Amino acid sequence: MPGTAELTAYLEVQRGPVEEALARAVEAFAGDLASDVAEALEYGVTTGGKRLRPVLCVTAFEACGGSVGEAAYDLAASLELIHAYSLMHDDLPCMDDAALRRGRPTSHRAHGEDATMRAGAALIPAAALQALAACERLGSSAEQGRTVAKALLEAAGAGGMVGGQWLDLLGEGQALGAEELDGLHRRKTGALLQASLVMGGLAAGADQDTVDALREYGAAIGLAFQIADDILDATESAETLGKNPSDIELGKSTYVSLYGLEEARARAKAEVGRAVAALSRVGLEAPMLAALARYVVEREK
Ligand code: GRG
């Protein structure tokens, strides 16, 4: 498996084409919007972030035999458009009422609630169009394009991220049990991470067993990601993480409050093992995906 230095270099190399694809997407979609909304959209999409979802998508695409070029990054960018909207709306006063995101003022603090609401809403259909157009450029069949776009929209919808966010808001101030917490986070955080892998595999024309393995890998790293998030939330400052308020301040149940730090760490590690095992089972040679699974729990923010 690639070591930390190799993975860091890989993430650095990926950043350029991911940012370029996002800039292309902003240019394509912001033109139809009022200027204040376009500015909020650009701020939400192009300002920082680890870009984990696009990197997972492109890495899975390549591991499944896809030939990586601009169109693959355009596909990967569709996931980041959904992610960006979710963060913009999540930070609004009617949800988490957050002041800081990625070390900067949240979108509504910088561009106002009205423009943030509208820019976030515009990003949802934009992401679907982005995925469909990218599939066309990749030479996918219409059926393949539909399947890829469906994976994105299902992950973003009520059975995925939106439903998870709803459970998250309802759960504030309550002590959720393990099953409830897993269910919430499989949808809120896990579904889009999982879709990143599945979409990469589908667009590359992977067979059903391989797509299923990517789905299993995605579910495992989704859970590992959230456990790691809760550990960081409990152990690092808002300054280091570049966001506030913390989940603890918001009265949310976390894996640390449920299990304690040590067991939470062990559980995150076990999920990484599960993710890597799923790929091995179908013989998918993807050392970078294995390294990315480890990164998900070892990251510092
Ligand atoms: C109307 C109920 C309702 C929902 C609207 C707002 C919303 C949809 C969903 C929010 C979902 C959400 C905030 C999920 C959090 C996912 C998460 C762990 C984000 C942090 O991801 P990172 O660490 O962030 O990858 P960066 O900044 O690196 O991109």
Side-chain angles (χ1 to χ4, degrees):
M1 191 193 300
T4 308
E6 216 178 318
L7 178 69
T8 307
Y10 180 73
L11 290 172
E12 208 44 53
V13 167
Q14 294 299 318
R15 185 165 277 278
V18 168
E19 298 301 331
E20 282 165 24
L22 289 170
R24 279 195 296 280
V26 168
E27 203 184 330
F29 294 111
D32 291 331
L33 302 170
S35 62
D36 61 332
V37 183
E39 278 163 27
L41 185 144
E42 182 169 10
Y43 185 80
V45 172
T46 63
T47 312
K50 295 181 287 295
R51 309 312 195 193
L52 181 59
R53 292 149 193 84
V55 172
L56 286 170
C57 180
V58 166
T59 309
F61 178 78
E62 190 165 33
C64 295
S67 157
V68 176
E70 250 186 39
Y73 286 101
D74 286 338
L75 174 67
S78 67
L79 288 144
E80 196 69 13
L81 298 185
I82 292 287
H83 177 57
Y85 121 74
S86 80
L87 299 184
M88 290 160 78
H89 280 194
D90 184 49
D91 289 335
L92 284 166
C94 63
M95 295 211 200
D96 282 358
D97 195 10
L100 196 68
R101 166 76 66 184
R102 296 167 166 172
R104 294 173 196 239
T106 47
S107 174
H108 65 279
R109 294 276 177 119
H111 294 277
E113 280 182 49
D114 187 44
T116 298
M117 286 272 293
R118 291 200 274 156
L123 280 168
I124 306 166
L129 291 168
Q130 172 84 9
L132 285 167
C135 284
E136 252 179 62
R137 288 187 64 203
L138 283 168
S140 308
S141 66
E143 169 64 18
Q144 225 177 342
R146 264 200 306 276
T147 315
V148 169
K150 189 164 173 256
L152 177 65
L153 293 172
E154 278 179 350
M161 192 182 72
V162 166
Q165 174 77 348
W166 181 237
L167 294 173
D168 190 49
L169 294 168
L170 287 177
E172 276 181 16
Q174 291 183 41
L176 302 183
E179 220 169 284
E180 289 169 303
L181 206 55
D182 282 357
L184 183 171
H185 288 302
R186 278 191 196 287
R187 292 163 82 174
K188 179 183 157 191
T189 309
L192 198 62
L193 287 166
Q194 189 179 44
S196 310
L197 282 307
V198 169
M199 286 166 64
L202 288 171
D207 61 36
Q208 191 60 50
D209 283 352
T210 305
V211 173
D212 287 345
L214 287 169
R215 190 170 282 121
E216 206 178 320
Y217 166 101
I221 67 154
L223 217 49
F225 182 96
Q226 188 59 50
I227 299 172
D229 229 47
D230 289 354
I231 293 171
L232 289 169
D233 205 60
T235 56
E236 298 293 340
S237 67
E239 227 168 56
T240 307
L241 299 177
K243 62 178 180 182
N244 74 4
S246 69
D247 284 352
I248 298 162
E249 285 163 344
L250 288 166
K252 296 189 186 194
S253 301
T254 73
Y255 283 106
V256 174
S257 60
L258 186 66
Y259 296 124
L261 267 178
E262 211 172 308
E263 194 184 334
R265 283 198 181 104
R267 282 177 180 261
K269 211 167 153 207
E271 292 300 332
V272 172
R274 233 166 255 147
V276 175
L279 303 183
S280 302
R281 227 176 9 254
V282 293
L284 185 62
E285 272 302 314
M288 239 357 135
L289 285 180
L292 282 164
R294 215 188 50 218
Y295 165 76
V296 157
V297 298
E298 289 177 2
R299 67 201 164 92
E300 284 163 6
K301 61 179 181 174

